[in-house]
Amino acid sequence: MAADFRIMRASCWTVALLCLQLANAFYIPGWSIKSYSDGEPIPLMVNKVYSDNTQIQYAFAELPFVCPPSGRSRPGTGLISGSNVALNLGEILRGDRIVVSDYELQMGQDDEAHYLCSQKVDRAGLKKAIEVVKQGYVAEWIVDNLPGATSFVTVDKSRKYYAAGFKMGYEEPSPTTGQPRYFLNNHVTLVIRYHRAPGKAGQQGKKVIVGFEVYAKSLSAENRDHSGLPPDLHDVSHGLELTMARNLTNTTTSPYDSSYYLTEYDDGAPDATLTIPYSYSVYFREEEKIEWAHRWDLFFVNQEESQKVRWLAIVNSIVISGLLTAVVAVILTRTVKGDIRGYLDGGGAGYLEDGGLLKGGAGGKKRGGGAGWRTPRKVSGEKSRGGLLDQVDIPGSGAVTPTIAADDSISDDDLPQALDDISGWKLLHADVFRPPPFAHLLAPLIGSGTQLVTMALALLGLSCLGILNPSYRGGFLTTAFICFLLASVTSGYFSARLYKTFGGTRWRNNALVTATLFPGLLFATVFVLNLFVWARASSTAIPLGTLVVLLACWLFVQVPLVYSGAWFGFDEDGISSSSSSSSTASASAAGLKSLTTRFRIARGPYTHPLPVAAPSSHHPPRPLPPASRQPWFARPVPAALVAGLIPFAVIFIELLFVFRSLWQDKSGYYYVFGFLAVVCLVLVGVVMEVSVIGVYGLLCCE
């Protein structure tokens, strides 16, 4: 017992340290305002490149065809070019690799043309550049925690909105051969939009950044002056084509013949190189209409156009929920009417108990001529019949049947008549709660499901309150990981209670399976997928140190929390009596018991919701019908598919927007959690109604 509490105490300290780290990195809107004076340097960070056509991401600073960091110190910022910015767990998992760049920005000072560097690339670097352009990769830069965005206007040209990132290049067909040609954007125009700082900082003339726009173009490497700049930055008629110098030795075909061009890059000398010059322009523009607190709104304007579709999705969900509610009402009405009709036919005024089964008078007396015996009411002071574990084996039947207490007032001779009075699906009320064949796996899976539901509810609540927002980069994944760890207590608690309900006694083994089954499969899947992205040198690959941290959190945080939840939920008297050898453990157990009583937290197995009958030779346990004799919708696989199809129809439209934001439209941000919360509430009701209908249908078939 004392060892159990020491494990729980160590786990609590570890979780507290993780929460403290999260609090230090938390970004609170309205309190983390950074204001700049005129001429103050503004650091520009380069992050990564990503594409809507593939899930492979790359760190921008590690691309072989971009300017490498110079390593110079940036005056006024305390940063060094090429240094990595500290990342939280969520940023690492989403593939961020933020590095300080060499771009020089000073508040309020425009720079029409600035030469950055000239990068020589070999054939491998050229192939990588063509791949990036061909796959439609987009670069993400950061200024004052704002991602560099491309500006667009709505269809009616009434509002402007942002899409994060800017394209690395473009593709166009050759006018003579029709073969694709690839051009790299080697010049960027940076537009910094600022607003007067609020409060005293604004009175001192300081400004805050409310917008960061990037406009990229491709400029030819020819006709450059001594400073490396083109004579006209606005002349984009000749872009920088990604091609090597052609080797025309012993070439008899025309340079414009289709057989001359390769599909990806031109044939040239083996040691040929391509020089790519990079330059940029900087402009500062005042934005009076946008305040600092609303600077992220332009990223969400495009989502407002889909609100009509979301409202239709909510109406669709409510209609489906209404139909299911009507079906459940019909089922309950038929059941209650059947019970009342059977009781009235038997004569006498009786009552309904909690289980929905009609009872006769007190003591189970017989009423009417042929009504039969009713199951007696449980009188005050009667001993509890216990949970689902109070079952006995029926010799030769291979099944177990719940029993009732020995002091029940129904005799063995009267029991057949009492059971004959029950008709329809209620004939199975004594057999329906048999333990399933794989109860040792069902209980851990149910526990892991409650853990995921708890994590999802916490994330949805924090997002609806605005605590989790795009300004806290990586905060969603970091918070999800911490909530998943904390929800391990609920996983062990519900798994242990269900395991004891099924008749299990080895609660420690069940806790170990609960803590390792789903998390172990998840970690193994992530590890295997990480090997593939690591082989592609992608920034999405989780570093080895982060994998070790995740493994340590799993073994030293989640496993003890699952163990503590299982110990609390199983509520075996032998645990406290046999293990509590010290006075400290006894006092802790007594305090825990008083806390449980005060807050009415249930422990131990779940109790039987229906009165059960004792085994009898007249009514042996009913065998389950074979699958071949059951209707197609009552078989396990079709029943699971039909039961899951209806909840999916409720939420699939909103899931479409979520998955499109995650995998297809990565330049946008999903931030309409209000619609998602409403759909989830409807989904919860639909799942409960589908469960009622499914169980009723299966009972009727059996």
Side-chain angles (χ1 to χ4, degrees), residues 385-394 399-405 428-435 608 610-616 621:
R385 293 190 176 98
L388 302 183
L389 292 179
D390 299 333
Q391 301 167 342
V392 295
D393 295 331
I394 304 300
V400 292
T401 302
T403 64
I404 60 176
L428 300 175
H429 75 276
D431 304 308
V432 71
F433 288 101
R434 299 177 186 175
H608 204 304
L610 291 175
V612 295
S616 172

Side-chain angles (χ1 to χ4, degrees), residues 587-670:
S588 302
L592 183 60
K593 184 177 181 180
S594 62
L595 184 65
T596 303
T597 305
R598 180 178 180 182
F599 291 97
R600 298 181 180 180
I601 302 177
R603 302 178 67 184
Y606 294 96
T607 56
H608 204 304
L610 291 175
V612 295
S616 172
S617 59
H618 299 281
H619 291 273
R622 298 176 180 271
L624 295 177
S628 59
R629 297 181 56 185
Q630 294 182 359
W632 67 270
F633 58 85
R635 299 175 184 177
V637 175
L641 293 177
V642 172
L645 180 62
I646 299 177
F648 177 75
V650 171
I651 201 174
F652 84 97
I653 295 181
E654 196 62 32
L655 283 180
L656 178 65
F657 288 103
V658 174
F659 291 149
R660 187 176 67 177
S661 177
L662 291 177
W663 293 329
Q664 183 179 358
D665 187 14
K666 301 185 182 68
S667 59
Y669 296 94
Y670 183 86

Side-chain angles (χ1 to χ4, degrees), residues 303-366:
Q303 297 186 12
E304 296 178 0
E305 298 179 355
S306 60
Q307 287 188 1
K308 294 182 179 180
V309 179
R310 287 188 164 92
W311 280 115
L312 291 177
I314 292 178
V315 172
N316 170 69
S317 304
I318 294 176
V319 169
I320 295 177
S321 177
L323 293 177
L324 294 178
T325 303
V327 174
V328 172
V330 170
I331 292 175
L332 295 179
T333 302
R334 291 184 58 186
T335 303
V336 174
K337 281 186 176 180
D339 290 339
I340 295 177
R341 185 182 301 110
Y343 175 74
L344 294 179
D345 292 342
Y351 51 84
L352 287 171
E353 272 197 345
D354 295 337
L357 301 178
L358 284 169
K359 317 297 178 187
K365 294 182 180 180
K366 190 174 183 179

